[in-house]
């Protein structure tokens, strides 16, 4: 047997009470008495269909095409007690357009007027409740939800619409289970197991209390706690579920209850029930037997012991059938069950409104004035003989106000205005579950409105008494983004930290977005901060050191220039073109001071002139050195010629050297001008290698122009090295070529090492490498070319005399380095010098004097120091050749010089 439903019996008694109230009122249907038939559906579809057909035919036989009973006309059906039952009955009565007014059937499908044209209801459409549940879930931030629905239209349609709403907001369904309509413990246990295994802490249940009861019994046995339940209106205030022993796992349940109303006189009417007053009322007898666990004398009503409640209010479903007879003196005031609980009259209030909806429609039909009626020819219906469709007209247009000042109005879909109380299950002082109103949800013209009065007033069944969290994956904090996990709902994700240079500044960001170019992400990757700008600054140790070294080098060059200026008329200074030496010193100052352009924050002007200035400085230096080395090379070649060839030998004059320098500089200036005009360098913010820094550097513009510009310098350097290397074998007095060779070797070593070092470094250290190469090569040239001469000028002044250079005096200083006083074009005629001998024999000295006297005869001042180790015939020949040199017939005397 099905359990006796005390709640349903209260609904039936409330209908009777409402009908009696209508009959007693004079303002509604005066002189007309309403009657009723009560059919027990037993909460099954088959009994519902059977009762509907019996009502329509007037007999127990199910012949829907005939009305076999006479008497008062049928008005409407009030019911049934659930959506599935109403759908079954409404399909039948809808064939006749017979009105049916539901009080508990909230399924959304019943609003379809094509399927259910004659159905109306006083309970809101479930679409509103599903929307309200979705809004509640969003309000508390729950994103991982489990759903349970009864295996009927009420549960399926309600959960379906709820899912559609929450999934639009990114909320995921962890599991979706169904409660079987026909009891199956195996299926119930499967639902319990799904609840256990799921990490979802929020469970939405769309079911009636009767269908939900077996599941709750199993959950109580399984000791499942830590879940928060969202209840639909069908069980949120049901005493069948809201038992104190269930509070350990159902405490804190939040649900939506339809509008509550206190019906005047209902409690007394409920108490006014007794089997003696209803001898033929089987429901009343069954109620009495079940409530007091006794047997009514001479009753044929079967026992229903599955859900008996004794006088203490405790469930006694395990009690055997009692042989105790009912005395009739039992007091209803002593029992505690759903029947007498009038504290939460919600569905019961809807029953009351359903009766008055039909009553007001009948009253409007009865008060119709002929000639002003809504039917053809402005006719009216007759209250004692009307068609169902005529009453449907008035039902669709009914509008009245209840005793509670609630306006009841049916819309075109047969629905009423949606209003819900948000209810929270809490334990009161007596140990009973109380339904505390914590908010409201109302349907409005602009949509809907949900209001939670006070979050602190909500009881949460959690260890911390705080709102529960229900997530598949914990929120991704700012600084990370949500990553997809394939094969699982979208709420189950991985948190992927943002990459360098990207941030997310909100929780559960789906993407990280890049920072602006001048910004980088902080350590937490939740904020963009200004990037550190990196360049070689003057105030940092490395920049200060390089600038100091550059200044020191420039000072050394200036000191050399000062020495040369002071001793400008000495033989060493005048040797091999004094003017070129000063130009070399100027170029070295330029290259050394170029380092200043590489240090400091790059500007447009500094980027454009620093490489150009460096290239021009090296071009000036190398072209001057080339002028010197070519002169030395020509001198060396002349020393290898015979007497006949020397006549045609070409010498390098000072004018030619300066002309070479000028031509070289013009070429370099043209290249630099084209470079700056076509594709000039510019300031570039390099962010390719470091996301947290902006490397402020100069983009050289055109690599082709840059290579051409410095390529010309390389070309000059190669020529300098080749000519100096060839001329290095000049006699010892001409060893300036050796020093230039060493200088060029240093130059090449530095810049060849510079290329891989420059390409392998990043940021400001690239500038450091280039400055180091500039300083190293400049110091190398300075030391190799000018240090030996400065040594003689300052430390060996006795060697720096015209007499020694011209051969008029000798020196015995072996410690002094040999100097190059060759190819001097600053005097009127070239002074040809050979190695100074330390010791001479008297005979050798006599020969020297003779050669010297011969030289003096010429218009110039030619001095020749010869080695006098050759025979006399040799010296005679040399004397003749000297005369040829004087007359310009020969260019060089090698035959007269000894191998020593």
């Amino acid at each position: 047997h099905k359990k006796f439903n005390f709640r349903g019996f209260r609904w039936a008694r409330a209908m009777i009470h409402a009908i009696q109230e209508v009959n007693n009122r004079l303002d509604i249907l005066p002189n007309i008495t309403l009657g009723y038939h009560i059919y027990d559906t037993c909460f099954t579809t088959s009994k519902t269909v059977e009762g509907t057909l019996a009502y329509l035919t007037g007999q127990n036989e199910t012949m829907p095409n005939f009305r076999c009973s006479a008497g008062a006309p049928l008005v409407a059906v009030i019911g049934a007690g659930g959506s599935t039952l109403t759908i079954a009955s409404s399909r039948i009565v809808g064939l006749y357009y017979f009105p049916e007014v539901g009080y508990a059937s909230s399924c959304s499908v019943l609003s379809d007027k094509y399927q259910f044209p004659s159905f109306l209801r006083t309970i809101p459409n479930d679409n509103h409740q599903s929307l309200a549940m979705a809004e509640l879930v969003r309000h508390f931030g729950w994103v991982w939800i489990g759903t349970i629905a009864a295996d009927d239209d009420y549960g399926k349609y309600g959960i379906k619409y709820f899912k559609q709403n929450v999934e639009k907001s990114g909320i995921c369904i962890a599991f979706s289970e169904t409660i079987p309509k026909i009891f199956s413990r195996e299926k119930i246990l499967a639902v319990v197991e799904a609840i256990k295994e799921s990490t979802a802490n929020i469970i939405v249940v769309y079911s009636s209390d009767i269908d939900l009861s077996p599941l709750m019994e199993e959950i109580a046995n399984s000791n499942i706690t830590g879940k928060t339940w969202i209840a639909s209106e069908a069980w949120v205030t049901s005493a069948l579920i809201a038992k104190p022993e269930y509070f350990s796992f159902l405490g804190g349940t939040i649900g939506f209850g339809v509008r509550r109303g206190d019906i005047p006189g209902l409690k007394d009417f409920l108490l006014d029930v007794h089997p003696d007053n209803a001898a033929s009322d089987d429901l009343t007898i069954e109620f009495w037997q079940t409530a007091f666990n006794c047997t009514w004398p001479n009753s044929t009503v079967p026992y229903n012991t599955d859900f008996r409640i004794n006088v203490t209010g405790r469930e006694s479903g395990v009690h055997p059938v009692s042989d105790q007879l009912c005395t009739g003196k039992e007091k209803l005031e002593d029992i505690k069950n759903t029947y007498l609980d009038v504290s939460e009259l919600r569905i019961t209030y809807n029953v009351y409104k359903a009766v008055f909806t039909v009553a007001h429609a009948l009253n409007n039909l009865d008060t119709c004035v002929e000639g002003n009626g809504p039917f053809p020819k402005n006719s009216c219906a007759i209250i004692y003989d009307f068609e169902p469709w005529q009453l449907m007209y008035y039902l669709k247009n009914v509008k009245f106000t209840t005793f509670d000042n609630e306006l009841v109005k049916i819309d075109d879909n047969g629905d009423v205005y949606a209003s819900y109380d948000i209810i929270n299950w809490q334990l009161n002082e007596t140990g009973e579950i109380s339904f505390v109103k914590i908010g409201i949800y109302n349907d409005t013209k602009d949509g809907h409105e949900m209001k939670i009065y006070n979050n602190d007033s909500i009881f949460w069944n959690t260890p911390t008494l705080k709102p529960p969290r229900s997530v598949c994956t914990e929120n991704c904090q700012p600084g990370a983004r949500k990553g997809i996990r394939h094969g699982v709902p979208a709420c189950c994700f991985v948190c992927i930290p943002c990459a360098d240079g990207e941030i997310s500044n909100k929780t559960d960001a789906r993407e990280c977005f890049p920072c602006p170019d001048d910004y980088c992400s902080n350590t937490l990757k939740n904020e963009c901060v200004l990037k550190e700008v990196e360049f070689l600054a003057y105030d940092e140790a490395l920049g200060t050191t390089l600038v100091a070294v550059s200044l020191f080098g420039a000072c050394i060059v200036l000191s050399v220039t000062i020495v040369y200026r002071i001793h400008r008329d000495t033989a060493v200074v005048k040797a091999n073109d004094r003017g070129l030496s000063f130009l070399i010193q100027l170029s070295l100052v330029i290259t050394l001071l170029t380092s200043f352009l590489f240090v400091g924050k790059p500007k447009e002007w500094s980027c454009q002139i620093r490489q150009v200035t460096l290239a021009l400085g090296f071009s000036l230096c190398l072209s001057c050195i080339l002028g010197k080395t070519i002169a030395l090379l020509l001198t060396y070649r002349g020393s290898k010629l015979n007497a006949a060839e020397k006549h045609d030998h070409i010498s390098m004059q000072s004018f030619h050297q300066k002309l070479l320098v000028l031509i070289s500089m013009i070429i370099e200036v043209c290249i630099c001008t084209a470079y700056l005009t076509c594709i000039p360098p510019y300031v570039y913010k390099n962010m390719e290698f470091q996301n947290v820094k902006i490397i402020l550097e100069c983009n050289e513009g055109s690599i082709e122009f840059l290579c051409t510009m410095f390529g010309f310098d390389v070309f000059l350097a190669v020529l300098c090295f080749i000519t100096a290397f060839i001329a290095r074998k000049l006699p010892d007095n001409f060893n300036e070529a050796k020093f230039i060779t060493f200088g060029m070797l240093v130059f090449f070593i530095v810049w060849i090492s510079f290329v891989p070092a420059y390409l392998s470094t990043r940021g400001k250290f690239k500038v450091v490498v280039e400055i180091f190469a500039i300083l190293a090569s400049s110091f190398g040239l300075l030391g190799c070319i000018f240090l030996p001469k400065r040594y003689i000028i300052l430390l060996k002044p006795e060697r720096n005399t015209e007499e020694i250079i011209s051969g008029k005096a000798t020196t015995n200083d072996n410690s002094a380095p040999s100097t190059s006083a060759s190819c001097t074009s600053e005097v009127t005629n070239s002074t040809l010098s050979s190695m100074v001998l330390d010791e001479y024999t008297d005979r050798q000295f006599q020969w020297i004097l003779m050669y010297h006297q011969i030289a003096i005869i010429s218009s110039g001042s030619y001095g020749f120091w010869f080695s006098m180790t050759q025979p006399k015939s040799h010296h005679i020949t040399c004397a003749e050749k000297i005369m040829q040199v004087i007359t310009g017939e020969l260019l060089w005397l090698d035959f007269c010089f000894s191998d020593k």
Side-chain angles (χ1 to χ4, degrees):
H1 297 289
K2 286 285 182 179
K3 301 173 183 178
F4 186 83
N5 190 345
F6 288 99
R7 192 183 185 198
F9 187 63
R10 186 182 67 205
W11 296 345
R13 294 290 296 171
M15 182 193 73
I16 298 172
H17 174 66
I19 292 174
Q20 289 184 1
E21 182 179 337
V22 170
N23 291 335
N24 293 332
R25 289 177 60 170
L26 299 178
D27 59 332
I28 302 177
L29 297 175
N31 303 319
I32 295 177
T33 302
L34 297 179
Y36 58 88
H37 293 280
I38 296 178
Y39 292 87
D40 186 4
T41 64
C42 298
F43 213 69
T44 61
T45 304
S46 58
K47 294 293 286 184
T48 301
V49 172
E50 181 181 335
T52 302
L53 293 175
Y55 172 70
L56 292 175
T57 61
Q59 298 179 355
N60 290 331
E61 290 81 6
T62 54
M63 295 181 294
N65 290 330
F66 300 96
R67 169 67 177 168
C68 303
S69 176
L74 301 180
V75 177
V77 175
I78 305 295
S83 294
T84 300
L85 307 180
T86 302
I87 288 173
S89 63
S90 186
R91 290 190 186 277
I92 297 174
V93 298
L95 298 174
Y96 305 95
Y97 211 60
F98 192 88
E100 181 173 7
V101 182
Y103 56 86
S105 306
S106 56
C107 182
S108 59
V109 73
L110 287 167
S111 295
D112 185 355
K113 295 299 103 179
Y114 290 99
Q115 298 187 60
F116 311 99
S118 62
F119 178 77
L120 307 96
R121 53 186 160 192
T122 57
I123 187 172
N125 186 327
D126 271 341
N127 283 351
H128 298 289
Q129 181 174 208
S130 298
L131 191 62
M133 287 181 170
E135 188 67 24
L136 181 73
V137 169
R138 284 191 291 265
H139 175 79
F140 289 107
W142 298 320
V143 296
W144 190 231
I145 309 297
T147 63
I148 299 175
D151 190 16
D152 55 19
D153 296 296
Y154 171 72
K156 291 178 180 179
Y157 282 101
I159 283 295
K160 177 183 177 182
Y161 197 70
F162 169 77
K163 290 180 180 179
Q164 291 176 354
N165 279 279
V166 296
E167 288 173 353
K168 293 177 183 178
S169 304
I171 298 171
C172 300
I173 304 301
F175 63 88
S176 187
E177 297 294 330
T178 302
I179 302 174
K181 199 70 176 173
I182 300 176
F183 178 77
S184 169
R185 191 167 189 271
E186 181 181 354
K187 293 181 180 180
I188 293 293
L189 290 176
V191 177
V192 173
E193 192 63 27
I195 297 172
K196 279 184 178 180
E197 294 179 355
S198 176
T199 58
N201 293 324
I202 307 299
I203 302 175
V204 176
V205 180
Y206 244 107
S207 173
S208 66
D209 53 351
I210 295 176
D211 289 334
L212 185 60
S213 180
L215 175 63
M216 289 304 166
E217 291 177 4
E218 289 296 338
I219 290 177
N221 296 332
S222 301
N223 194 28
I224 296 177
T225 58
K227 308 292 183 181
T228 297
W229 302 79
I230 308 299
S232 65
E233 39 73 32
W235 67 275
V236 67
T237 57
S238 171
L240 182 61
I241 307 298
K243 299 178 181 180
E245 55 266 32
Y246 289 172
F247 191 79
S248 60
F249 61 92
L250 285 181
T253 294
I254 297 178
F256 292 86
V258 295
R259 181 163 179 166
R260 175 179 171 274
D262 293 324
I263 303 175
L266 179 62
K267 181 66 178 287
D268 295 335
F269 183 78
L270 294 176
L271 290 171
D272 187 22
V273 60
H274 198 279
D276 287 338
N277 300 331
S280 61
D281 187 356
D282 292 345
L283 286 177
T284 302
I285 296 174
E286 185 176 358
F287 160 74
W288 198 271
Q289 292 182 150
T290 306
F292 295 106
N293 193 22
C294 62
T295 303
W296 190 255
N298 302 320
S299 172
T300 59
V301 177
Y303 290 105
N304 190 334
T305 60
D306 291 335
F307 195 64
R308 294 185 180 179
I309 303 297
N310 59 22
V311 292
T312 63
R314 298 183 59 84
E315 187 175 339
S316 56
V318 296
H319 291 180
V321 176
S322 175
D323 295 331
Q324 181 180 356
L325 295 177
C326 300
T327 64
K329 297 181 180 180
E330 294 85 0
K331 295 182 179 181
L332 290 175
E333 293 86 347
D334 295 336
I335 66 173
K336 294 171 62 177
N337 60 25
T338 310
Y339 173 71
L340 292 177
D341 184 7
V342 294
S343 62
E344 293 291 331
L345 298 180
R346 299 181 185 275
I347 302 299
T348 306
Y349 181 48
N350 286 341
V351 174
Y352 179 88
K353 289 188 291 185
V355 172
F356 270 84
T357 297
V358 176
H360 279 280
L362 283 172
N363 185 67
N364 293 338
L365 182 148
D366 183 43
T367 56
C368 175
V369 177
E370 193 66 32
N372 294 324
F375 305 119
K377 298 180 180 180
N378 297 326
S379 61
C380 296
I382 302 174
I383 189 67
Y384 298 108
D385 186 17
F386 61 86
E387 297 295 331
W389 60 268
Q390 292 176 314
L391 179 60
M392 277 298 302
Y393 169 82
Y394 289 101
L395 282 170
K396 287 183 177 181
N397 294 278
V398 72
K399 182 167 62 173
F400 66 95
T401 302
T402 67
F403 62 86
D404 203 18
N405 291 324
E406 178 187 356
L407 176 65
V408 178
K409 181 181 178 181
I410 307 295
D411 65 14
D412 293 339
N413 293 323
D415 295 328
V416 292
Y417 168 79
S419 178
Y420 295 95
D421 292 337
I422 304 176
I423 298 169
N424 180 228
W425 286 17
Q426 301 182 14
L427 204 63
N428 58 25
E429 296 177 353
T430 62
E432 299 291 332
I433 294 178
S434 61
F435 308 113
V436 179
K437 183 178 178 180
I438 60 171
I440 58 171
Y441 180 93
N442 291 324
D443 187 21
T444 63
K445 294 180 180 179
D446 299 328
H448 59 268
E449 176 190 13
M450 187 180 75
K451 182 179 180 181
I452 303 295
Y453 295 143
N454 186 1
N455 286 339
D456 295 335
S457 65
I458 304 174
F459 171 77
W460 300 106
N461 195 14
T462 59
T464 61
L465 300 180
K466 298 293 183 182
R469 287 181 53 78
S470 186
V471 294
C472 179
T473 306
E474 287 298 327
N475 293 338
C476 291
Q477 298 302 314
R481 66 176 178 85
K482 294 166 67 173
I484 297 174
R485 288 172 56 189
H486 295 287
V488 296
C491 297
C492 302
F493 48 83
V494 292
C495 294
I496 303 173
C498 293
D500 290 338
E502 296 183 346
I503 67 164
S504 64
N505 54 8
K506 63 180 181 179
T507 304
D508 285 340
R510 294 205 173 267
E511 292 185 359
C512 299
F513 56 88
C515 292
D517 291 341
D518 291 346
Y519 290 79
C520 65
S521 54
N522 59 0
T523 305
L524 298 177
K525 305 295 178 60
N526 61 358
E527 185 180 3
C528 289
V529 296
L530 277 172
K531 289 183 178 179
E532 177 186 350
V533 179
E534 180 182 275
F535 58 88
L536 185 61
Y538 285 103
D539 56 356
E540 59 179 300
L542 195 56
T544 303
T545 302
L546 293 174
V547 169
V549 173
S550 177
L551 281 174
F552 176 70
C555 291
I556 294 176
V557 177
L558 291 176
S559 68
V560 172
T561 304
I562 293 172
V563 171
Y564 265 54
R565 183 71 179 88
I566 295 173
H567 301 278
R568 64 184 178 278
D569 294 327
T570 61
V572 171
V573 175
K574 293 190 296 182
N576 203 357
D577 202 309
R578 178 177 57 190
L580 292 182
S581 297
F582 282 116
L583 287 176
I584 292 174
Q585 294 163 18
L586 173 63
S587 66
L588 289 177
V589 172
I590 293 173
T591 55
L592 287 168
L593 294 182
T594 304
S595 302
F596 281 82
L597 299 175
F598 288 85
V599 182
K601 186 176 182 179
K603 306 289 185 180
E604 290 293 334
W605 63 269
S606 63
C607 288
Q608 292 179 4
I609 67 172
R610 66 179 191 174
Q611 299 290 5
V612 171
T613 304
L614 180 62
L616 290 173
F618 276 128
S619 293
L620 178 60
C621 178
L622 295 171
S623 60
C624 292
I625 294 174
L626 182 60
K628 284 177 172 287
T629 57
I630 290 177
L632 293 173
L633 177 63
L634 292 177
T635 301
Y636 175 71
R637 289 186 60 189
S639 68
K640 298 296 184 180
L641 300 176
N642 55 35
E645 294 173 340
K646 289 179 181 178
H647 180 73
D648 298 328
H649 183 67
I650 301 174
S651 62
M652 187 76 170
Q653 301 298 324
S654 176
F655 170 75
H656 299 142
Q657 290 175 313
K658 292 180 175 61
L659 182 62
L660 175 63
V661 173
L662 179 61
I663 293 173
S664 299
M665 290 302 297
I666 290 175
I667 295 174
E668 186 70 16
V669 168
C670 291
I671 296 174
C672 294
T673 303
Y675 177 32
L676 295 178
T677 302
C678 298
I679 311 177
Y682 56 91
V683 179
Y684 174 64
K685 295 178 180 179
N686 190 341
M687 294 173 282
E688 299 175 1
F689 302 105
Q690 294 190 46
N691 289 329
V692 297
K693 288 183 179 180
I694 297 176
I695 301 175
L696 203 60
E697 60 185 15
C698 292
N699 187 299
E700 305 304 343
S702 172
I703 299 299
E704 292 78 8
F705 271 113
L706 188 70
C707 292
T708 303
M709 187 172 64
F710 283 105
F712 183 71
D713 290 342
V714 173
F715 172 71
L716 293 177
V718 170
L719 291 180
C720 290
F721 176 76
I722 293 174
T723 54
F725 182 78
I726 295 174
R728 79 188 188 283
K729 293 184 179 180
L730 277 172
D732 289 348
N733 266 16
F734 295 87
N735 62 356
E736 186 178 20
K738 295 180 181 179
F739 297 124
I740 293 176
T741 301
F742 283 122
M744 297 313 300
L745 283 175
V746 172
F747 185 85
F748 283 125
I749 290 172
V750 169
W751 287 103
I752 290 174
S753 303
F754 159 78
V755 173
Y758 184 81
L759 295 178
S760 62
T761 54
R762 295 289 180 267
K764 62 183 179 182
F765 296 104
K766 294 183 73 172
V767 178
V768 172
V769 169
E770 187 167 0
I771 294 176
F772 179 80
I774 294 170
L775 296 177
S777 58
S778 299
F779 276 109
L781 293 176
L782 175 64
C784 292
I785 295 176
F786 293 104
L787 186 60
K789 291 185 178 182
R790 190 176 181 184
Y791 172 79
I792 292 177
I793 293 172
L794 297 178
L795 300 181
K796 298 295 181 181
E798 65 275 9
R799 297 287 306 273
N800 189 18
T801 62
E802 188 68 29
E803 289 76 12
I804 294 179
I805 296 301
S806 62
K808 294 180 180 179
T810 61
T811 179
N812 293 326
D813 186 7
N814 290 326
S815 64
S818 56
T819 63
S820 175
S822 59
C823 297
T824 303
S825 59
E826 294 177 343
V827 294
T828 306
N829 300 299
S830 299
T831 302
L832 305 177
S833 302
S834 64
M835 182 184 68
V836 178
L837 301 177
D838 294 334
E839 298 179 356
Y840 298 98
T841 62
D842 292 340
R843 182 176 178 80
Q844 289 172 335
F845 187 71
Q846 290 175 1
W847 277 104
I848 291 172
L849 292 177
M850 182 188 69
Y851 290 141
H852 185 64
Q853 293 299 322
I854 294 173
I856 292 174
I857 298 173
S858 65
S859 58
S861 177
Y862 294 87
F864 300 89
W865 294 354
F866 294 99
S867 174
M868 305 305 293
T869 59
Q870 301 297 333
K872 183 178 180 180
S873 59
H874 175 79
H875 298 302
I876 294 173
T877 304
C878 284
E880 293 176 351
K881 289 187 176 181
I882 288 171
M883 295 305 297
Q884 293 176 353
V885 171
I886 293 171
T887 59
E889 297 178 2
L890 291 179
L891 296 176
W892 189 253
L893 296 176
D894 57 348
F895 176 77
C896 302
F897 301 155
S898 70
D899 294 336
K900 182 177 179 182

